[in-house]
Amino acid sequence: MDTRPEAPPPLSGIRIVEIGHFIAAPFATRILGDLGAEIIKIEPPEGDPVRGWGAQSNGASLWWSVHGRNKRSVAVDLKSPEGVEAVGRIIAQSDALIENQRPGGLARLGFDRRRLQELRPGLVVAHVSGYGQTGPMRDRAAFGVIGEAIGGLRHLTDHPPGTTDLPPPRVGISVGDSVAGLYAVIGVLAGLLRRDRRTDIRGDEDADISTVDVALTEAVLSLMEGIVTEYGALGLVRQPVGARIASAAPTSAYPSADGRWVIVAANSDLLFQRLTALIGREDLANRPELRSNAGRLEHVDELDEAISAWSRQYDAGRLAELLAKADIPSTLIYTAAEIADDPQFRARGMVRDVNDPRHGNLLHPGIVPHFPASPGAIRCTGPDVGQDTEAVLAEIAGYSTDEIKALYQKGVIA
């Protein structure tokens, strides 16, 4: 048994300021906070609008419990000079800043590049926007769904051509925002690594800040495998394929007797042999044209019909058992209920029981990536608006009790 003391989380000692709203920048800081960074969320006195999103309990968003976790909330009016001064004093004692205003928005608040360098030499600044900080479309409004469309994802999540007149469905979550947030995390960590490889630069007034520029559109496009390369070389525009994989077969979702769907991925020669034995169709495995992936792709309709005819004989639970016993990659398509009860997620702490002061006991998703020797922690759930304003201004920005009281009286903080 390993009796070594648990090491602190990997980002312990790092302080990051978030001037963000909605999803992308706040998602990035949630990940960094989960890994131990101290996150100071700057929000207007009325709070981040996302606090009202999603299902509500006790008058508060359940999603906010997760989205705002491991953060300290400072509610300040950045339209006032005193508010800008207060946030500037926090930035001066921080390692990184993440924001998702429109390009130029941070400068309009009073934090252009020159000012940030004066406040904190060596600061890492991550800008997350729809189209990036440069280019002809930089000033256009965008949300994650726009990035998903322009980046090519929405086209590939559409129904296969000619199958329906319904509009292209979205993934179901704001994946464009979250992917952009993850790239912002990567950029911040790279910037911090670059900074810390140099000599101590906190007192070096010439030390330049590191700028990270993340666009929602580009974050999505970067996930899109070879679609641009295929088009450039062959003029090939990859098309939606529904539940299948365009490059391998058989892989799809197959129906069960009780109306559920089960994913089966038997797209290697060995797995195909196992699957055909399981469904009693060894004749398919013996056909020369089906012994290679290329041949199976040419006959994918026939294969899917044969597998579906077998799968419809069993309830989804029984299908999952049979496929797992045959060691074929497969699974039920999980709902939130299956996720919450999954023994693998539970064993690794990916579904956790957390107490939220507003809601009581809740389930939270765990922390990714997993550092076994120094795991992050859910130190707190999403805070109330301005819950930490006084503490942060006193501890980090150096304000006295009387100065904080004066800011309250002027309506600068809440």
Side-chain angles (χ1 to χ4, degrees):
M1 179 177 175
D2 190 348
T3 58
R4 290 174 296 180
E6 187 176 283
L11 297 184
S12 182
I14 298 292
R15 179 177 296 135
I16 298 172
V17 175
E18 174 207 310
I19 304 180
H21 56 291
F22 294 117
I23 301 175
F27 181 80
T29 54
R30 191 204 102 187
I31 300 302
L32 293 162
D34 284 352
L35 296 177
E38 179 186 10
I39 306 300
I40 310 297
K41 179 177 177 63
I42 308 298
E43 51 187 330
E46 64 273 16
D48 188 331
V50 83
R51 287 176 174 272
W53 286 18
Q56 307 282 305
S57 172
N58 297 324
S61 165
L62 288 162
W63 181 29
W64 174 253
S65 180
V66 177
H67 195 50
R69 76 185 185 193
N70 289 335
K71 301 180 185 182
R72 306 177 78 183
S73 171
V74 174
V76 57
D77 181 8
L78 279 173
K79 296 177 182 178
S80 68
E82 295 92 342
V84 172
E85 169 67 18
V87 172
R89 288 167 67 168
I90 297 170
I91 292 172
Q93 300 300 319
S94 301
D95 298 286
L97 166 65
I98 301 180
E99 63 94 17
N100 62 340
Q101 314 288 319
R102 284 207 206 181
L106 192 64
R108 288 190 289 273
L109 290 175
F111 300 111
D112 60 16
R113 184 183 183 87
R114 180 177 178 181
R115 179 58 179 151
L116 290 173
Q117 186 160 324
E118 291 172 350
L119 288 168
R120 172 61 166 99
L123 184 74
V124 178
V125 183
H127 305 281
V128 184
S129 62
Y131 300 89
Q133 301 298 303
T134 60
M137 298 175 71
R138 68 185 291 270
D139 294 320
R140 289 189 60 177
F143 284 113
V145 67
I146 305 300
E148 293 158 27
I150 291 180
L153 180 63
R154 193 65 172 263
H155 174 68
L156 291 185
T157 59
D158 196 4
H159 306 279
T163 60
T164 179
D165 292 329
L166 292 172
R170 67 188 293 264
V171 173
I173 58 168
S174 299
V175 66
D177 286 296
S178 298
V179 169
L182 289 174
Y183 278 111
V185 169
I186 294 169
V188 166
L189 295 178
L192 291 173
L193 179 63
R194 174 179 175 272
R195 183 199 72 182
D196 292 344
R197 280 178 168 172
R198 301 168 62 186
T199 57
D200 182 17
I201 59 175
R202 181 172 282 276
D204 182 356
E205 294 182 358
D206 295 324
D208 198 7
I209 64 174
S210 294
T211 300
V212 180
D213 181 359
V214 178
L216 297 174
T217 52
E218 296 166 359
V220 174
L221 176 56
S222 71
L223 301 180
M224 302 307 291
E225 299 177 349
I227 66 168
V228 172
T229 306
E230 293 164 359
Y231 175 75
L234 304 173
L236 176 66
V237 177
R238 192 184 298 189
Q239 296 299 322
V241 293
R244 294 172 174 169
I245 294 178
S247 58
T251 292
S252 191
Y254 298 96
S256 67
D258 54 348
R260 298 284 302 272
W261 295 91
V262 175
I263 299 292
V264 180
N267 49 25
S268 73
D269 297 344
L270 176 60
L271 290 172
F272 181 61
Q273 292 174 8
R274 289 180 186 170
L275 180 60
T276 54
L278 176 64
I279 71 174
R281 291 297 306 271
E282 290 90 343
D283 60 301
L284 294 174
N286 292 331
R287 283 168 50 181
E289 70 271 24
L290 300 181
R291 290 176 182 169
S292 69
N293 182 62
R296 291 192 292 271
L297 281 170
E298 291 180 3
H299 296 82
V300 65
D301 290 336
E302 179 186 358
L303 294 177
D304 280 352
E305 288 176 8
I307 299 166
S308 297
W310 170 78
S311 67
R312 287 193 182 95
Q313 301 174 67
Y314 303 96
D315 287 349
R318 180 58 176 159
L319 280 175
E321 292 174 1
L322 292 169
L323 289 159
K325 187 176 180 180
D327 200 20
I328 296 168
S330 56
T331 182
L332 299 175
I333 295 179
Y334 275 22
T335 66
E338 279 94 16
I339 290 171
D341 293 335
D342 183 75
Q344 178 72 9
F345 282 149
R346 286 287 187 168
R348 288 176 55 82
M350 196 55 209
V351 174
R352 302 189 184 188
D353 295 288
V354 174
N355 184 267
D356 185 302
R358 290 171 299 278
H359 305 292
N361 292 326
L362 293 179
L363 296 179
H364 268 222
I367 294 171
V368 180
H370 185 57
F371 287 80
S374 55
I378 300 173
R379 302 181 298 279
C380 66
T381 55
D384 291 335
V385 180
Q387 178 176 304
D388 307 288
T389 302
E390 289 187 40
V392 169
L393 291 183
E395 298 167 11
I396 298 174
Y399 281 82
S400 68
T401 301
D402 288 343
E403 288 173 323
I404 292 172
K405 186 181 296 184
L407 291 176
Y408 273 124
Q409 290 171 345
K410 292 181 179 180
V412 174
I413 61 175

